[in-house]
Each structure stands twice: as C-alpha cells, then as structure tokens.
Amino acid sequence: MSDTTQHTIEYYKSELVKKDEIIKKLSEEVDKDQLKELKIQYQELSNINYNLKTENERLKIENEKLLEDLRKKEYKVEENEEKREVTDDRNTHQNSLLSQESKQEKVETTETVAVTPVSETPEPVIPEGIKKGNLQKQSQLLKTFDRRYFVLTKDTLYYYKSSNDPLNEKTIDISSDCNVKIVEGTTFDLEAKSRTYTLIADSIEERDSWIKELKECNVNVIPSGKEKSASNKKTEETTKLEIFKSENENDINIQQKPVFPEGVKTGNLHKQSQLLKTFNQRYFVLTKDKLYYYRSSNDPSTQKSIDLSSNCKIKIGDNAKFDLETKSRTYKLIADSEEERDSWIKEFKKCNIIIVSPEKEKSMSVKKVEESTELEAPKSENENEIDIQQSVGNTSDKAADAVEAPV
C-alpha cells in the first residue's frame, strides 16, 4: 500500500471521528433542552394537581357540613309537623270534651291538666306491630336513602332511626286512601295524604311481604307497568281465545248441513199461497207438535213450520181438499188423492188435532138453528107449528148451502 492512499484513509477516519463528536454534542444539547421543558411542564402539572386536591377536599368538607345542616332541618321540619298534628288532635279532642261537659268540669279539667307533673310522662316504647323490619327511606329534601326501622300497625306505619331508639319516632297515617305502588326491583312507593314515601327493601321477597301486610291493612296496591301489561296480555289472550272459540263454533254451525226432522208422516201436498192464492207443490213432514214444509224433498234449507201445539182444527173439503186452521192463519191443502188425504187426517188426529167433517158441520149448524128457534119460541100459544117447521127447514137449507159453497 502506498503512502498516499494510507494518508487519505487516515484523513477520512479523522474526519469521521470529528463528525461523530459533533453529532454527540448536538444530541446532548437537544436532550438537555427537551428535558428542561418536560421538567417545567411536569412541575406545572404537579402544582395544578395539588391545587385540585386541596380544592376537592375543601368542597367535600363543605358538602358534608351542608348535608348535616339539611338533615337537621329536615328532621326538625318533620318533628314540627308531627307535633302540629298531635296538638291539633288534642285540641279537637279537648274541644269535644269541653262542649259535652259543664263549665265547672271545664275548670276542673284545666286545673288537673295544669297540675299534672311532667315527670310522670311514660317513657316512649316501640309499639308491637303486625310487621317489623329495616327499609331504606328516601329523604324529602336531599333525595338520599337512609336506613330506618319500620313498625306496621293496622292504621299507622311508625319508623325510627334504629330499633333501639324509640325517642325519634315518626308516623305515616295509612288509615284512609293510601296506595302502594311497585316501582322497580325492590323499590316501592307508599302514597299517603301528606306525601309519597319511596322505600327500598333488602330483597324482592321482603318487599312482597311488606306489600302483603299493607294490603291486609286496607291499603290499595297499584301494580307496576310490567304487571299491568302482563294482565292486559292475559285479558287479550283470553278474549282472543273466546273469539276463536266462538268463530269455530259458528264455523261448525255453518258447516252443519240442515237435515229433515224425523216425522210421523212425510209426503207431497199442494199448498195455497197467501197472496197469489195459487197452489204449489210442497214437501211436508208431520211431527207431534209441528208441521214442517219445504220446496222439495231434496232441499231441507228452505224449512218453514206450522205450530200444532194449541187449538188447531182440520176441516175436510171436497175431493182431496182439507183446511188446517191455526191461530195465525188457515192453510188450504190438496192431497194427490182422497186416500192420501185420509191418511194425513188420520195422522193429524193422532196428534190431538180436532177433525171437522162436512156432515158434522151441517149437524152443528142445524142444532144451532134449532136451539135459536126454540129460544125464540112464540110468546102466544096460538102460533102455528107449521110455520115453525117451515122456518127451520129454510134455515137448515141456507146453512147447508153456506157449508157446501166453494171457498
């Protein structure tokens, strides 16, 4: 290797070393500046954090003081309300007593009330109720929940700060128009006259137990929205089932084809129409108390009926004719032959229908005429018997002509 090349190599090496030193210096300077800035920022942040902590502690202390003051005020307000209620009750009771008693008794009662020593007042005791237990009660002002000891009687719900503190007694009157409303979970509202008390039980079972006992004390239980929707769904389902059943019954009734009844006698007869007075062939079915008729023996859907249960008559006419007289109308009928007509009349007679023949009608009319002539006998004994016989003969001939006249 030549000296020149070696010299150049060494030169470049020295240059590279210089560059590395320059880069190190620059990097150290940059890092130092950045570290300074970061330290300044960190110090500022730490100062801000310290200030925030101190401010937060100060606010906590102030809030706690405010809460204590508000609780004291709320407790005092409730105590004043209860005292006012008690004094009102006492005043009303005393007024009623004073109105009933005389003036002397009034004075004596006031003196005895004034003389009674304060030391003789009994110590407060927690009453024996239907149900006892702890519930969370929401305060009226702060809306916070505090644990209280509750005792339920027939007409009052008592609550205390604890089960060992009967002095701090407060009451809720549940004697008239109170409602219990299930809110959500273990929460329920007791709506009294003065205010609504929001209560929380330890479990759903405990909540249901309280609601059950309140219900037995004649407190109205209002179901929640979910229970209402469930009951509405049940009613809707029942109505749907009833509608479905009725529709199915109607479908079954519609699907059932009409059938001819089983009768004593069946067959075709010609019946006179009520308006046009024309005779049309119809298919008849005779039962014990009804006569059904149809357009044909293949069409039971065109059913009509004649009631034979009371005071029906059959008048026998010429050839194969006969009339069926009912309360509402007279049906004129014609059989295919006299034998067929007599067969129908025989069966009608078995159904306790009166049969009137032309001979009977004639004899009936003759009898009526004779009776009338006998009643209208002459007042004088010298009247001629021949004239009576002639008049009877004429009237009988007229009656016979009237019967034999075509209808």
Side-chain angles (χ1 to χ4, degrees):
M1 186 182 288
S2 63
D3 294 332
T4 55
T5 55
Q6 192 174 0
H7 182 70
T8 54
I9 288 165
E10 287 177 359
Y11 172 77
Y12 281 117
K13 278 183 181 180
S14 63
E15 290 292 327
L16 285 169
V17 170
K18 285 178 183 179
K19 283 180 182 179
D20 289 334
E21 288 176 357
I22 291 163
I23 289 165
K24 279 182 182 180
K25 286 179 181 180
L26 288 169
S27 62
E28 286 176 359
E29 287 176 359
V30 170
D31 290 335
K32 284 178 182 178
D33 293 334
Q34 285 180 352
L35 284 169
K36 283 179 183 179
E37 288 178 1
L38 288 170
K39 282 179 181 179
I40 292 162
Q41 289 177 1
Y42 179 74
Q43 190 66 33
E44 288 176 355
L45 289 170
S46 62
N47 291 329
I48 291 165
N49 192 15
Y50 177 75
N51 293 327
L52 287 170
K53 280 183 180 179
T54 53
E55 186 67 22
N56 193 13
E57 287 177 359
R58 188 180 64 79
L59 290 169
K60 276 184 180 179
I61 292 162
E62 287 181 359
N63 284 329
E64 285 176 359
K65 286 180 180 178
L66 286 169
L67 285 170
E68 286 178 2
D69 293 337
L70 286 170
R71 280 175 183 169
K72 287 177 181 178
K73 286 179 181 178
E74 183 183 2
Y75 188 72
K76 285 179 181 178
V77 167
E78 289 180 355
E79 278 186 348
N80 290 327
E81 284 179 357
E82 288 174 0
K83 285 178 181 178
R84 196 181 298 161
E85 288 176 359
V86 170
T87 52
D88 290 338
D89 292 335
R90 284 178 181 173
N91 289 328
T92 53
H93 184 65
Q94 285 179 358
N95 289 327
S96 63
L97 288 171
L98 290 169
S99 62
Q100 291 175 2
E101 294 175 353
S102 63
K103 291 180 181 180
Q104 291 179 357
E105 289 176 350
K106 285 181 189 178
V107 174
E108 289 176 2
T109 52
T110 53
E111 286 176 358
T112 52
V113 169
V115 168
T116 52
V118 179
S119 60
E120 291 180 0
T121 55
E123 291 183 359
V125 181
I126 295 173
E128 292 184 1
I130 300 163
K131 184 171 175 58
K132 300 177 182 180
N134 292 311
L135 292 169
Q136 299 281 339
K137 185 185 80 69
Q138 191 179 39
S139 64
Q140 196 170 7
L141 297 174
L142 301 175
K143 303 300 179 183
T144 57
F145 284 91
D146 302 309
R147 196 170 183 81
R148 295 287 181 263
Y149 183 72
F150 284 81
V151 178
L152 176 65
T153 63
K154 286 184 178 180
D155 54 359
T156 307
L157 181 64
Y158 299 89
Y159 63 96
Y160 309 86
K161 281 192 174 181
S162 68
S163 59
N164 300 320
D165 189 9
L167 290 170
N168 298 314
E169 182 183 85
K170 294 179 185 178
T171 59
I172 303 168
D173 185 15
I174 58 168
S175 59
S176 60
D177 295 332
C178 283
N179 299 321
V180 170
K181 188 177 181 182
I182 300 166
V183 179
E184 191 176 359
T186 59
T187 307
F188 62 99
D189 289 344
L190 178 60
E191 296 176 354
K193 278 187 176 181
S194 57
R195 61 176 272 209
T196 298
Y197 297 85
T198 302
L199 306 169
I200 300 174
D202 293 335
S203 63
I204 292 170
E205 290 79 12
E206 186 67 15
R207 180 204 68 184
D208 294 339
S209 175
W210 277 102
I211 289 167
K212 184 182 176 183
E213 297 298 336
L214 287 165
K215 191 176 181 180
E216 287 180 0
C217 296
N218 297 322
V219 177
N220 300 319
V221 178
I222 300 169
S224 61
K226 290 180 181 178
E227 291 179 354
K228 281 183 181 178
S229 62
S231 62
N232 289 331
K233 281 181 182 178
K234 284 181 182 178
T235 52
E236 285 176 2
E237 286 174 0
T238 52
T239 50
K240 282 180 182 178
L241 284 170
E242 287 174 359
I243 291 163
F244 182 71
K245 284 179 183 177
S246 63
E247 285 178 354
N248 286 335
E249 286 174 359
N250 291 328
D251 292 337
I252 290 161
N253 292 328
I254 290 163
Q255 287 173 3
Q256 286 177 352
K257 292 181 180 179
V259 183
F260 291 111
E262 290 183 1
V264 180
K265 183 173 175 58
T266 60
N268 292 315
L269 292 170
H270 286 82
K271 184 183 79 69
Q272 190 181 45
S273 66
Q274 197 169 6
L275 296 173
L276 301 174
K277 304 299 180 183
T278 57
F279 283 89
N280 301 307
Q281 187 170 326
R282 296 288 180 261
Y283 181 72
F284 284 81
V285 177
L286 176 64
T287 63
K288 286 184 179 181
D289 55 356
K290 282 190 179 182
L291 179 65
Y292 298 92
Y293 61 95
Y294 310 85
R295 285 194 176 179
S296 68
S297 59
N298 299 320
D299 191 5
S301 62
T302 59
Q303 186 190 75
K304 293 182 182 179
S305 62
I306 302 166
D307 187 16
L308 306 175
S309 59
S310 60
N311 296 328
C312 288
K313 291 180 183 180
I314 285 180
K315 288 184 179 180
I316 302 168
D318 295 335
N319 299 325
K321 295 178 183 179
F322 64 99
D323 295 343
L324 176 60
E325 292 183 357
T326 63
K327 280 185 177 182
S328 59
R329 168 187 169 191
T330 298
Y331 296 85
K332 292 187 177 294
L333 305 169
I334 301 173
D336 292 336
S337 64
E338 289 185 1
E339 291 80 8
E340 185 66 17
R341 180 198 66 184
D342 295 338
S343 176
W344 276 101
I345 288 165
K346 185 180 178 182
E347 296 299 333
F348 277 119
K349 196 172 183 181
K350 287 179 183 178
C351 297
N352 298 321
I353 293 172
I354 299 164
I355 310 298
V356 181
S357 62
E359 290 80 7
K360 281 185 179 180
E361 267 195 317
K362 284 180 183 179
S363 62
M364 289 283 289
S365 61
V366 169
K367 281 181 181 180
K368 283 180 182 178
V369 171
E370 286 176 352
E371 286 173 359
S372 62
T373 53
E374 285 175 1
L375 288 169
E376 293 173 357
K379 293 179 182 179
S380 61
E381 294 178 356
N382 296 323
E383 283 189 318
N384 197 355
E385 292 179 357
I386 295 166
D387 294 333
I388 293 167
Q389 288 177 359
Q390 286 178 356
S391 64
V392 169
N394 291 327
T395 52
S396 62
D397 291 334
K398 286 178 183 179
D401 293 334
V403 171
E404 290 176 358
V407 180

